[in-house]
Amino acid sequence: MDALRDEEDAAAPLVAAPAASRRSPAADAHILSAAFLFVFSAYGAAQNLESTVNTKGDLGTVSLGILYTSFTLFSVVASPVVTRLGPKRALVVGSSGYVLFILANIVPTWYTMVQASLYLGFCASIIWVGQGTYLTSAALSHARDNNLSEGRTLGNFTGEFWGIMASTQVIGNLLSLALLRNGKDGGSVTGKNLLFVVFLGCMIVGIVLMCLLSKREEKGHNGPLHSSFGAMLKYIVAPLKDRRMLLIIPLMVYTGLQHAFVWAVFTKSIVTPVLGISGVGGAMAIYGAAGAVVVCIGYWIFDLWTLFSYTNSLNGSYCPGCSPILVASFLQSNGWSTWHSGSATHRRLMGCG
């Protein structure tokens, strides 16, 4: 019986039938995107400054290392946590870690930064699974309510969200550029506390917006999600049996290394010696703008690829849902934890039967 229940839990998707709501799903998607805009404009800019403003004992760099190690470890249990909390509560709880991280930067010590980084790792794991779950639920609900294509609607909602997310690097870093000033000795900076207070205000606005989201699916699970730790571990590693997932892992590793270089090495060892700490914001704003342009080009190429794949599928020669590019897009918007339970839905949405 326990084994049967584990199989049923593994097969059950994170996205359930959405509850009735007075607000339209499209409005919820707009609110969710705006909330992430405020939260990650502040967090992204703060993250870029960690290795340059918290230099004593490499506190900033070590904190980022602890944060993403914690993020990695907690990601394996993020899906059950979001299933139990519900996506909206997961988003609100997840946002609290970003607030605590900003507060810790106002009084940066080993005691505050390490604990805040550990907690943020947990919060980051559930906020991203919650985001993918909530956005997918809103998109499918909107498609059903308006008799639209589920796949296209999900693509539109996801495109809006990531388009707004691409602008966070620009907005947050422009705040850094405006408020930070290099000290007379060239190695210090003024305006740091004011900047992080502004970041804190942005975080609060983001959390308020998340609290305004409709409760799309909040039933949760009262009983245990898995009968044993072994059953849960089996559920977690199940995606590794999918060849497409294995093909995407090198891309994930490369992305992680690239981010580590930009956030910790590029800002500290390349930008700061030339422009000073106050110049980090300007340099990273340009970096963010370039990234936003590339995202737009990427979506254009993606649309062409999708059209080409769909045309071939009509002739029975290609399955668009099996394209690694489409799988990568699904993973980006829904997370590793959602892939196992959502792969069948993904194939149906992409026309693979």
Side-chain angles (χ1 to χ4, degrees), residues 2 4 58 66 129 151 166 180 254 265 300 323:
D2 289 339
L4 179 60
D58 283 332
I66 293 173
V129 175
L180 289 182
Y254 170 78
V265 179
W300 177 71
S323 165

Side-chain angles (χ1 to χ4, degrees), residues 235-288:
Y235 169 72
I236 290 170
V237 301
L240 294 177
K241 297 178 181 179
D242 192 317
R243 183 180 60 180
R244 292 167 294 181
M245 177 63 74
L246 296 178
L247 292 174
I248 291 171
I249 288 177
L251 298 178
M252 296 178 178
V253 173
Y254 170 78
T255 300
L257 293 174
Q258 182 259 337
H259 286 167
F261 172 78
V262 171
W263 295 334
V265 179
F266 177 73
T267 54
K268 180 179 180 180
S269 302
I270 299 177
V271 177
T272 300
V274 177
L275 302 177
I277 297 176
S278 65
V280 171
M284 295 306 292
I286 296 174
Y287 167 82

Side-chain angles (χ1 to χ4, degrees), residues 97-341:
Y98 293 88
V99 173
L100 185 62
F101 186 76
I102 295 298
L103 285 172
N105 273 277
I106 296 177
V107 188
T109 65
W110 285 100
Y111 180 78
T112 58
M113 291 297 296
V114 169
Q115 294 192 73
S117 298
L118 283 171
Y119 179 62
L120 178 53
F122 164 73
C123 290
S125 69
I126 65 172
I127 197 175
W128 284 112
V129 175
Q131 176 271 331
T133 304
Y134 191 94
L135 192 65
T136 302
S137 175
L140 298 183
S141 179
H142 182 74
R144 285 191 290 266
D145 292 345
N146 296 277
N147 196 27
L148 301 173
S149 166
E150 291 182 341
R152 181 173 293 276
T153 304
L154 180 59
N156 291 339
F157 277 42
T158 303
E160 174 190 332
F161 177 85
W162 286 106
I164 291 176
M165 278 294 295
S167 67
T168 58
Q169 277 284 349
V170 179
I171 297 172
N173 286 300
L174 286 178
L175 287 174
S176 297
L177 179 63
L179 297 178
L180 289 182
R181 293 290 181 270
N182 289 326
K184 294 181 179 180
D185 59 359
S188 62
V189 67
T190 60
K192 171 181 172 289
N193 286 343
L194 173 61
L195 176 63
F196 278 93
V197 169
V198 172
F199 286 164
L200 182 61
C202 292
M203 292 282 185
I204 293 173
V205 173
I207 289 184
V208 170
L209 288 174
M210 289 187 187
C211 291
L212 296 177
L213 290 170
S214 303
K215 293 184 178 181
R216 309 208 62 81
E217 192 278 300
E218 300 291 332
K219 292 182 179 180
H221 291 266
N222 295 323
L225 294 176
H226 300 282
S227 59
S228 65
F229 177 78
M232 183 181 71
L233 187 62
K234 182 179 179 181
Y235 169 72
I236 290 170
V237 301
L240 294 177
K241 297 178 181 179
D242 192 317
R243 183 180 60 180
R244 292 167 294 181
M245 177 63 74
L246 296 178
L247 292 174
I248 291 171
I249 288 177
L251 298 178
M252 296 178 178
V253 173
Y254 170 78
T255 300
L257 293 174
Q258 182 259 337
H259 286 167
F261 172 78
V262 171
W263 295 334
V265 179
F266 177 73
T267 54
K268 180 179 180 180
S269 302
I270 299 177
V271 177
T272 300
V274 177
L275 302 177
I277 297 176
S278 65
V280 171
M284 295 306 292
I286 296 174
Y287 167 82
V293 171
V294 172
V295 166
C296 293
I297 296 174
Y299 273 116
W300 177 71
I301 295 174
F302 175 77
D303 285 340
L304 291 179
W305 177 271
T306 303
L307 179 62
F308 172 76
S309 301
Y310 179 71
T311 302
N312 284 341
S313 71
L314 294 178
N315 299 323
S317 59
Y318 189 76
C319 171
C322 296
S323 165
I325 296 178
L326 294 180
V327 176
S329 174
F330 182 88
L331 285 167
Q332 183 185 35
S333 61
N334 293 275
W336 169 288
S337 304
T338 313
W339 171 253
H340 174 67
S341 59

